[in-house]
Amino acid sequence: MNLRKNLKKYKHIFYYFIPTAIFLSITTYIPMAQSITYSFYNLMEPFINIKFVGLHNYIYMFNRHDLNYSLYITLAYTIISVSAQILLGLATALLLNSWLFKKRAAIRGLFLIGYSMPSVATGIVFRQLFSYGPEGTLNNLLGAMGFGRFPFISDKNLAFLTITIAEVWKWHALATILFLAALQGIPKVLYEMAEVDGAGIIKKFRYITLPSLKFVLALMITLRTTFVLQHFDQPFSITFGGPAWSTTLLSAFIYRLAFEARDYGKANAVGVILFLFILIGVIFYLFVTRKE
Amino acid sequence: MKRDLSYTFTAYLVLFVLIVFNLSPIIYMIILSFKPNAEILRGGFLPEQPTLEGFISVFTRWHMAQNFVNSLIIASLTCIIAILAGIFGAYLLGRLNFPGKFIFVIAIIVGFSYPSAAILVSVYINLTALGLYGSYIGQVIAICSYELPYVIWILKDFFTRLPKNIEEAAMVDGCTHLGAFLRVVLPISRPAIGAIAVLSFLSGWRNFMFTSILSTPKTMPVAPKLYHMIVLGLNDYSGMMAATLLGSIPTILIYVALQKYVVAGLRS
Amino acid sequence: MSVVKIRNLTKYFGNVIACDHIDIDVKDGEFLALLGPSGCGKTTTLRCIAGLETPEEGDIFIGDLRVNDLEPKDRDIAMVFQNIALYPHMKAFDNMAFSLKMRGIPKSERHERVLDAAKMLQIEELLYRKPDQMSGGQQQRVALARAIVRKPKLFLMDEPLSNLDALVRREIRTEIKRLQRKIGTTTIYVTHDQEEAMTISDRILVMRDGKVQQIGPPMEIYNHPSNKWVGSFVGSPKINFYEGSIIEKKEKMILELEWGNISLPTNICQSLKDNLKSQEVVIGFRPQIVKIVKEGKAIGKAEVDILEPLGSEILVHLKLGNDVCRALVPIDTMITEGEVVGIDLDLQRILIFDKKTGMALF
């Protein structure tokens, strides 16, 4: 009785639900379900022994040094670059927000160029700039200044540094824009009142600016963490995964496991693991934005 | 007085450093694309003999005209499908209420949270099985795996903010619910839909992960082609920089020109 | 003949009952106001009539047709919303023509009908403007025109004036009444503003917590509220209530109050005798019937607390008994704050309610 009444009441919903469900199933949910399923199977070329193996893929991957290393550097990459992006973005926004700069929009536009380019493109530019050979611009500069040449891309640690710098470079503009917008939303009156009360620059920052930015800050941290965890295009274009697998972030790890090692089962297992990490980030994001 | 001066000076200095930091890779990309390869290998800063050698090789040696066309096709298709599917889903999420809506919200969130790299595997297997490997539509379907939930999520807030009762007014005036949606809600949503069109077009243009695996040389768009240029290791640096520049122009132009809207969109 | 009949209308939102077995008969051509505080169910009732909500139980008839299963577009109604709800992307002309277009009415006739409606609401010069180029009052006029262009059987209006500022509200209120008289279409009008309901409608239906409290012409509701709550909801300034007991002494009935005794007139006594269930009652009297006497006979004494000059009258707040009593006196009355004065009442216009049930006793 209840169901029939509800169906009648909501029957117009189907017109919207059905196209959406069809599209989304085809593009997203069916592949997703398949991915999770494959993670429980032994699925690799040349496809001779496909069988259900339960958690075998997961256990196998967890015991592998290269996955653990990939996890480790992905986390390090994420934490370092997200912090740097946010700090740099905040600093830039504070600078641009001060009364000195009227042409804010133009400057902001300039900063957006790197952000807007396809990640592969910026990756390739960085690869070119940081290259070791005679075409490497940065090394040429350092060499001319007497510092010698550095294997930015072929050395395990320098490569990590390179992709991290590239990550911060590309994405800090986003932080700048959001912080700038938030800063411009703080009523000037608050600062004036603080000045009357005798507050200096540091106090004003601590008691007015920072609290007003709390929301955007939390938003940025959760959002960026969630996205950076998955980043692939730019780091991969710079190092191709690093010397051997040493700068292969998680997404790249899955990609290479699937299309170089051709082991689809294990690749999806890693995928599910990454998914769980991302979900944590998303939950935080929802928690932060729920209040608004 | 003196404090003001040094304060202003430091501020401008810092800004200058930031701008240099931000723009130098790009400026260098531009410079390198106009330098002949021989010069690039020699080092130095500005091109002594600026040339269009790089740009020419993009089309003659690398045959990238086809790649640009492919990018255009894929980006356009992504745009169209994202809008078609997006408006229904966003309206559902943003405006309609029904039992079980919460599940749908969760589903969308999960939809854009699942790592693309893993979805890539499934899509690859599916497309190969369906004989769609290497097709345009195959790549678009793959891109939409994250683009659709994303578009729905962004657009839903817009629909929530539309004037209340507007569908009801249309229904009393003689439309069915769907009629009200098509005749009244959509026409007033044009600006938001326009924004989504641009965003999804750019998303399709930029995609690398899916298109690198799911395309054949004939259907490969610009982004994976750039990657392949390095992998092939032919040391045509000038060509590569020129190609990178050309491939980035649509995105740069649109983003910088529509800055205002980008910021407004990001703010929500 | 009733043009709208509602039987046993019941609607829940989750566990909250919005409409509680409501019965209404709307007469042909009348202007009926649904009046009540927020959340009383008046808007829900209207929306059920419109077909925008589905009731759990009950039948709705428009004309002789049971419309429960009909879509809003098939019920031959026109609606005006609180937030106006004009189509922002269309000019006023197209807004008004939209419903006609939906029904397949040919262009020339559409044109004619839109112009007629525009003339009636004096909005001809607004016809080619878009909603964002008009003020709130103008927009609502266009919304009204959009409704009348349809020539439906029934107008439904959901607090159409609530979002407008006070001056514009008064103007359009009068226009709505004038319009309805001229066109003669049955109108159901939802409002929480009792003054609005009193001035504009032929009958008022007062609702509270999903139940119908009283239905009748405005003056009847004002002069003979069916219960204490209706008495306090309708009428401004607010009615005064005091608890008391009825004592029967020989042939007469005396109402004993804390601050005085009232000897009830014969006609009231007779009605009371039939209905009196207990001796504990509440008297209600409106500020308008309170007389301030300086000398001579008075029922009780009160101290003047605050004086509020209201233009042609003064609203006097008096400390009477252990409560505040409000009195409305002419502006030229000599009275000062702190003064102790006598209170007298126009006994023919007092109201008496049962203390426990709140129901009117005559």
Side-chain angles (χ1 to χ4, degrees), chain B residues 58-59 64-73 205 222 243 246-247:
Chain B
V58 166
F59 293 104
M64 278 188 78
Q66 176 68 42
N67 300 111
F68 279 96
V69 168
N70 294 337
S71 277
L72 196 61
I73 296 177
W205 182 275
V222 174
L246 288 178

Side-chain angles (χ1 to χ4, degrees), chain C residues 17-20 22 34-45 191 206-212 229 233:
Chain C
I17 190 162
C19 302
D20 199 347
I22 295 182
L34 298 183
L35 174 66
S38 313
C40 70
K42 55 193 193 296
T43 302
T44 312
T45 307
T191 178
V206 186
M207 285 180 73
R208 184 190 187 199
D209 293 334
K211 291 202 186 58
V212 176
W229 183 84
F233 187 78

Side-chain angles (χ1 to χ4, degrees), chain C residues 11-54:
Chain C
K11 171 128 191 92
Y12 288 89
F13 284 117
N15 285 334
V16 180
I17 190 162
C19 302
D20 199 347
H21 305 286
I22 295 182
D23 290 321
I24 308 179
D25 275 284
V26 185
K27 303 197 197 123
D28 192 10
E30 85 168 319
F31 196 118
L32 176 71
L34 298 183
L35 174 66
S38 313
C40 70
K42 55 193 193 296
T43 302
T44 312
T45 307
L46 193 78
R47 288 167 62 85
C48 285
I49 301 175
L52 298 171
E53 303 275 359
T54 320

Side-chain angles (χ1 to χ4, degrees), chain B residues 8 11 14 38 51 71 94 96 140 145 150 162 172 202 213 220 228-230 240:
Chain B
T8 315
V14 173
T51 159
S71 277
L96 301 177
V140 172
S145 68
Y150 184 65
L162 286 181
V172 169
L202 288 178
I213 297 291
M220 182 180 288
H228 277 273
M229 287 168 87
I230 322 177
M240 271 178 5

Side-chain angles (χ1 to χ4, degrees), chain C residues 233-246:
Chain C
F233 187 78
V234 174
S236 179
K238 211 148 170 256
I239 195 173
N240 299 299
F241 286 127
Y242 285 95
E243 293 179 357
S245 331
I246 301 273

Side-chain angles (χ1 to χ4, degrees), chain B residues 83 87-88 91 155 158-159 162 178-191 193, chain C residues 89:
Chain B
I83 293 181
I87 46 180
F88 289 101
Y91 186 67
L155 201 49
F158 174 79
F159 282 122
L162 286 181
L178 185 62
F181 176 68
L182 294 174
R183 284 177 209 271
V184 176
V185 175
L186 286 187
I188 46 182
S189 308
R190 271 195 267 248
I193 295 181
Chain C
H89 59 298

